[in-house]
Amino acid sequence: MGLWELVDKVLIIFYKISGHPVFDYFLGTFLLALLAVVVGEFTISLVFLVNKNHLDRLNIRLANLQQLTMLALKLGDKRSYDACNKEANDTFGRVFFNMVGLSAAALWPAFFALAWMQLRFTGIEFPIPFTGLAVNYVFTFIICYILARMFFGRVKNRLPYFRNIHRMLMEYEKSSAPNIT
């Protein structure tokens, strides 16, 4: 048995809970979306922990460049100000895109879930009453994913691992926030 078949055997369990096909589809899709959210949040935490030293160095460099820029501005040294400001902007760009990458780490499980759903639910549509329109598995997964993200956002601080990571991220955010004077 290959990996994909094993994944299929595990995930299809979400879709066989009550025996009512439509209810099971929506419940299973919500549980699959919740699993994608949890795995994505766990991935973010791992990526953050692995890259923390790099992010620390970038934030320290950014703070130092900000101070140098302000000093050059106070001294009226336009050339130094321009050079320091350019370096600070470049460093800010690196910090920004590291954080965008960190945020994107949460989404990869959703694409795997959709790939699995494509194999199982292609061609199945749910009509929208009174419109003549119908939606497929992608639409229902996105709605369930949004609801799962909202649900997990409310409970994750009660879960030991995620509570500790959240506390660490909040402390990190406070300590690395730019000091604008």
Side-chain angles (χ1 to χ4, degrees), residues 30-162:
F30 177 79
L31 293 173
L32 180 63
L34 184 60
L35 179 63
V37 168
V38 171
V39 171
E41 289 289 321
F42 184 71
T43 303
I44 286 176
S45 70
L46 290 180
V47 171
F48 172 76
L49 293 172
V50 167
N51 288 319
K52 187 176 178 313
N53 290 335
H54 174 67
L55 292 171
D56 287 342
R57 286 190 302 273
L58 283 175
N59 282 313
I60 288 168
R61 177 166 169 72
L62 183 59
N64 290 339
L65 287 167
Q66 180 186 16
Q67 288 176 349
L68 288 173
T69 301
M70 298 310 283
L71 180 61
L73 184 64
K74 284 181 184 176
L75 295 175
D77 186 348
K78 173 110 171 90
R79 207 167 111 179
S80 294
Y81 170 81
D82 289 341
C84 289
N85 194 46
K86 181 184 180 321
E87 284 296 314
N89 284 332
D90 289 345
T91 303
F92 176 78
R94 288 187 192 101
V95 169
F96 176 78
F97 284 108
N98 270 279
M99 292 313 201
V100 168
L102 190 63
S103 297
L107 296 177
W108 74 267
F111 293 109
F112 278 96
L114 283 168
W116 176 80
M117 288 185 78
Q118 180 179 15
L119 295 174
R120 281 288 184 161
F121 301 110
T122 295
I124 297 174
E125 294 184 336
F126 295 94
I128 300 172
F130 312 113
T131 66
L133 302 173
V135 296
N136 64 8
Y137 70 95
V138 175
F139 181 83
T140 57
F141 179 81
I142 290 170
I143 297 300
C144 287
Y145 185 84
I146 291 167
L147 294 172
R149 184 154 283 291
M150 291 167 46
F151 171 75
F152 189 72
R154 290 186 178 264
V155 301
K156 77 178 179 182
N157 292 334
R158 297 179 189 153
L159 304 172
Y161 176 80
F162 291 105

Side-chain angles (χ1 to χ4, degrees), residues 59 62-64 66 92 95 172-181:
N59 282 313
L62 183 59
N64 290 339
Q66 180 186 16
F92 176 78
V95 169
Y172 183 80
E173 193 174 290
K174 284 180 191 174
S175 69
S176 65
N179 182 16
I180 299 174
T181 54

